[in-house]
Amino acid sequence: MQLLPVLKTLCCGPDVAPLDVAERDALAARFKALADPTRVAIVNRLATADEVCVCDFVAALDLAQPTISHHLKVLREAGLVESSRRGTWAYYRLVPEAVAALRGALGG
């Protein structure tokens, strides 16, 4: 009978250090914010532009401005987007570090 070596159990995969609690919680909040199709569509549109006016989201997604603003607030609170105001309009852009953290968490 041949004995097989016992391998050390890894919690996160080969060569991947476990996340610390703060990083884990931040990633979970960002993924939770993306758990809505409208917010995924917003992030997708932002990924193709430097910034997008909230008025463009209203037209593109065929939703009321208060609904779009709610979704953008969720994304902003999760740290995925940031905004600036010009006159009466708000312009949104992705936070590159937040997107990179999500990409890294998925192994990319």
Side-chain angles (χ1 to χ4, degrees):
M1 179 163 101
Q2 180 183 6
L3 295 175
L4 298 173
V6 176
L7 299 176
K8 182 174 84 174
T9 303
L10 300 174
C11 71
C12 304
D15 302 324
V16 178
L19 297 172
D20 67 52
V21 174
E23 186 180 3
R24 178 199 66 199
D25 291 349
L27 282 169
R30 289 175 180 151
F31 280 116
K32 184 177 179 182
L34 290 172
D36 181 278
T38 298
R39 292 193 285 270
V40 171
I42 289 169
V43 169
N44 180 258
R45 184 170 275 269
L46 287 170
T48 64
D50 290 333
E51 63 182 5
V52 177
C53 178
V54 69
C55 61
D56 293 329
F57 290 124
V58 172
L61 300 175
D62 196 29
L63 294 170
Q65 189 273 329
T67 302
I68 296 294
S69 292
H70 165 75
H71 287 297
L72 287 165
K73 178 184 175 194
V74 171
L75 292 168
R76 191 173 53 251
E77 289 175 349
L80 289 168
V81 301
E82 56 191 10
S83 65
S84 60
R85 292 193 79 65
R86 289 189 218 128
T88 58
W89 294 109
Y91 290 80
Y92 286 83
R93 65 195 150 279
L94 289 177
V95 175
E97 301 81 18
V99 174
L102 292 176
R103 187 177 297 117
L106 295 173

